[in-house]
Amino acid sequence: MRHAFGFVLGVLLTPALVYGAAWGYAQAGRSFDGTGQEITDRTRIYGAFALLAAVGLVMGVVIVARWASPLVSLVPALALLGVSAYFLVDPGRVLDLPGKVPPSGDMDFGLRMLLGSGVYGMMGFALLMPTWAPRRWGSARTDEDVFDSDYYSTIER
């Protein structure tokens, strides 16, 4: 049951991470002038940085959480690595995908830039790391729980 819940959570987490990072990137890029080296819209850049920090925080929790099924991180990792590999094979076709998926506008720019710069590949590899830990695939019971239950069952006899 834990892995089924982890799979569903991973499927829901994938677009949240992808779109959150893309929208934060696009809004941050629109809120400063690189040539003049000044911030033009402080409210927008604070919101963009807060969103990017939230995406990073969610990724960090998913990577570190021992209670989470490895599928929570494996599903977004495979999606991000798959689209990054597909970008390396056929960049023109992959860069057309954001235009076919709503919403359009600034979000398309953010999706294309993060994909083309390799940020999605980096996010995918970071999310892939927890799936290699064997303890994440096992049950939530620890060795101490097994020891305590054996101890108490012998006392009750």
Side-chain angles (χ1 to χ4, degrees):
M1 186 65 186
R2 182 172 79 100
H3 294 305
F5 180 69
F7 179 77
V8 171
L9 189 58
V11 168
L12 295 174
L13 190 62
T14 302
L17 292 175
V18 168
Y19 282 113
W23 191 82
Y25 175 82
Q27 295 303 312
R30 289 184 54 197
S31 61
F32 76 95
D33 179 20
T35 57
Q37 296 180 355
E38 63 180 332
I39 296 173
T40 57
D41 188 354
R42 289 202 180 276
T43 305
R44 179 178 286 175
I45 202 163
Y46 291 154
F49 275 43
L51 180 61
L52 290 171
V55 168
L57 179 67
V58 168
M59 280 184 56
V61 167
V62 167
I63 289 169
V64 173
R66 287 182 155 181
W67 54 265
S69 166
L71 293 176
V72 175
S73 64
L74 182 63
V75 172
L78 291 178
L80 290 166
L81 291 173
V83 77
S84 296
Y86 190 40
F87 172 75
L88 294 174
V89 172
D90 191 5
R93 179 176 263 173
V94 175
L95 291 176
D96 284 342
L97 288 177
K100 296 177 183 176
V101 179
S104 60
D106 290 338
M107 187 72 74
D108 291 348
F109 173 74
L111 289 168
R112 286 183 180 111
M113 289 304 295
L114 292 180
L115 180 62
S117 62
V119 172
Y120 285 150
M122 180 181 62
M123 288 170 61
F125 275 117
L127 288 168
L128 187 65
M129 291 301 119
T131 62
W132 292 347
R135 70 170 181 252
R136 298 275 301 260
W137 289 99
S139 69
R141 290 183 68 181
T142 63
D143 291 337
E144 293 173 3
D145 294 337
V146 172
F147 175 74
D148 290 342
S149 66
D150 291 343
Y151 175 74
Y152 289 119
S153 66
T154 55
I155 290 177
E156 292 173 359
R157 291 185 202 169

